[in-house]
Amino acid sequence: ERITGMNYSKAIVEGIATQIYKATGYPVYINNQEQNMMFPSFFVEMEHGEHTQKLGNRYYREANFYINFSQSENGEVQDYSQVEDVAERLTWALEFIGVNGDKLNGVDMSWKMVDDVMQFKVKYRYFLGKVETKEPMEKLIQEQGVKGNGRQ
């Protein structure tokens, strides 16, 4: 367990994007408002997340992510064998991702074609620790002395 920052989901998306790019060499977009997108490419987004307090400041999370793969700007599939190859590569590339020095295991992977876009789904389960920051003391005065001038 590692104590982490509060935006761990964003770090997971970045870990997913890194693994996808390493496995395929295709551009990976995270922000839906990207301009001048190149194709073929991927788009990564979190579909669903759950957050449950376990013990004290420990929390259990599950997060499902969609990875959409488009071969062309107009959405037409140009090569189904490429789509199958990409799905196969993603299953191995997303089995483990690096996130803030941790390794997360991807589970419950599946993929399907929706309107000529391959939708790949993966789930990550992990624990987080909440760091509580305390206000530092304003002033600390410490007096120290030796009892009886150091003699007994």
Side-chain angles (χ1 to χ4, degrees), residues 25-62:
Y26 296 136
V28 181
Y29 299 97
I30 296 171
N31 183 346
N32 201 15
Q33 305 301 317
E34 296 285 344
Q35 300 294 320
N36 303 319
M37 290 178 68
M38 296 171 48
F39 293 91
S41 63
F42 295 92
F43 175 71
V44 179
E45 66 181 333
M46 187 166 89
E47 178 232 353
H48 174 90
E50 295 180 23
H51 178 88
T52 307
Q53 185 173 8
K54 287 298 183 186
L55 182 62
N57 288 342
R58 263 187 102 189
Y59 297 85
Y60 175 75
R61 282 193 179 173
E62 287 187 5

Side-chain angles (χ1 to χ4, degrees), residues 131-146:
V131 178
E132 294 188 20
T133 57
K134 295 182 180 179
E135 297 277 330
M137 289 189 270
E138 294 275 333
K139 190 183 254 185
L140 174 64
I141 299 173
Q142 180 178 353
E143 293 183 15
Q144 187 172 353
V146 179

